[in-house]
Amino acid sequence: MRLPHLLAMICALSSSLCSMAYAATIEIPRPYVVYLQDGKTAKSSALNAERKVNLSAGAHQLVIRFDGSFKDQSENRLLSGEPVVINLDLKGDEALAIQFAYPRNYRAAEQFIAQQKLTFIDTKTGAPVAIDHFVMPKKEGLQIGRDYQAELLAMGKGFQQVPAELAMATTAAMAAAAVPDAKGNAQGTVDKNVQTLEMLKYWYTQADAETRKNFQHWIISQQ
């Protein structure tokens, strides 16, 4: 096989794999900026030239913030809103976009960020889509270098964070199972339970939202 043909095949395969890995998109309109993606600081390249974030199939969490400059009488003033947390559970072929009434001046922008009413649509059909999202609580006083991930973890709403009640119930169950038997097999039981716990955590993070909800109800009902 000639080298040019081989290179062409490699490029085609690479393009195909990339499109499979990032088949879903969500468009983030100005002046929103992506701060966190899946619990980590978003890279500067998170938004492409079309202001779209490419995402693979599965669970994702984005934290975006309204950061814009708006005219107030004769001058432009900067304005920021509280972060918006978006939780996604993607099949892998979605094309989503955020829509809102763009404020034309500083006063209108102030009114908008008080509630931040966002609509999510399927750009393929134009139909609205129900997406789990919420505005983070307002932090009073001077805010320098807020750690949004730490705040979300403290709220129990971090990316793929196991709910506190589920973690407590699981830990209690594992501790009870580790009680030594008459033959003193406690250590072997503990090691096995640790492995089981790690497997439970893994499968929990891999499950979709509905499966996680059902599992939470089941584990709590076992207490």
Side-chain angles (χ1 to χ4, degrees):
M1 181 179 295
R2 295 181 179 178
L3 182 58
H5 291 168
L6 179 59
L7 291 175
M9 290 180 63
I10 292 174
C11 290
L13 178 59
S14 175
S15 177
S16 175
L17 289 174
C18 289
S19 63
M20 289 173 63
Y22 300 103
T25 62
I26 180 168
E27 184 177 342
I28 311 294
R30 288 186 173 87
Y32 278 98
V33 177
V34 181
Y35 277 82
L36 291 181
Q37 181 173 341
D38 297 343
K40 299 179 181 179
T41 301
K43 298 179 180 179
S44 58
S45 58
L47 278 174
N48 62 25
E50 299 177 326
R51 295 196 60 80
K52 294 179 180 179
V53 179
N54 297 316
L55 298 167
S56 59
H60 295 279
Q61 184 182 76
L62 299 176
V63 176
I64 64 175
R65 195 177 78 182
F66 184 98
D67 289 332
S69 176
F70 296 87
K71 191 155 190 170
D72 183 19
Q73 296 182 352
S74 61
E75 62 178 358
N76 287 329
R77 297 177 61 187
L78 295 174
L79 187 66
S80 295
E82 294 303 316
V84 178
V85 182
I86 305 170
N87 294 308
L88 301 163
D89 193 2
L90 303 172
K91 295 179 181 178
D93 60 350
E94 294 90 341
L96 307 173
I98 298 174
Q99 289 187 343
F100 66 97
Y102 191 90
R104 295 303 177 185
N105 55 50
Y106 188 84
R107 179 170 295 183
E110 280 188 312
Q111 294 174 345
F112 171 76
I113 65 172
Q115 295 183 321
Q116 297 196 72
K117 292 183 178 180
L118 303 178
T119 300
F120 294 81
I121 64 165
D122 180 341
T123 60
K124 296 177 182 178
T125 64
V129 180
I131 298 294
D132 177 32
H133 69 286
F134 64 93
V135 179
M136 292 181 66
K138 186 175 182 179
K139 300 281 285 187
E140 301 295 342
L142 184 64
Q143 300 176 24
I144 299 178
R146 280 177 65 178
D147 189 337
Y148 296 138
Q149 178 62 6
E151 291 181 31
L152 286 171
L153 291 173
M155 295 164 58
K157 296 184 178 181
F159 177 60
Q160 293 189 331
Q161 183 178 3
V162 178
E165 64 272 15
L166 178 59
M168 291 176 63
T170 304
T171 301
M174 303 303 289
V179 174
D181 58 20
K183 297 181 180 180
N185 292 327
Q187 186 58 50
T189 303
V190 170
D191 292 342
K192 183 177 180 180
N193 286 338
V194 170
Q195 294 177 1
T196 303
L197 178 58
E198 292 305 315
M199 290 177 64
L200 284 172
K201 289 180 179 179
Y202 171 78
W203 288 115
Y204 181 85
T205 59
Q206 297 300 308
D208 58 26
E210 184 64 25
T211 303
R212 291 183 193 176
K213 185 176 181 180
N214 292 336
F215 182 69
Q216 292 171 27
H217 290 164
W218 177 83
I219 195 68
I220 292 173
S221 71
Q222 303 305 302
Q223 301 306 300

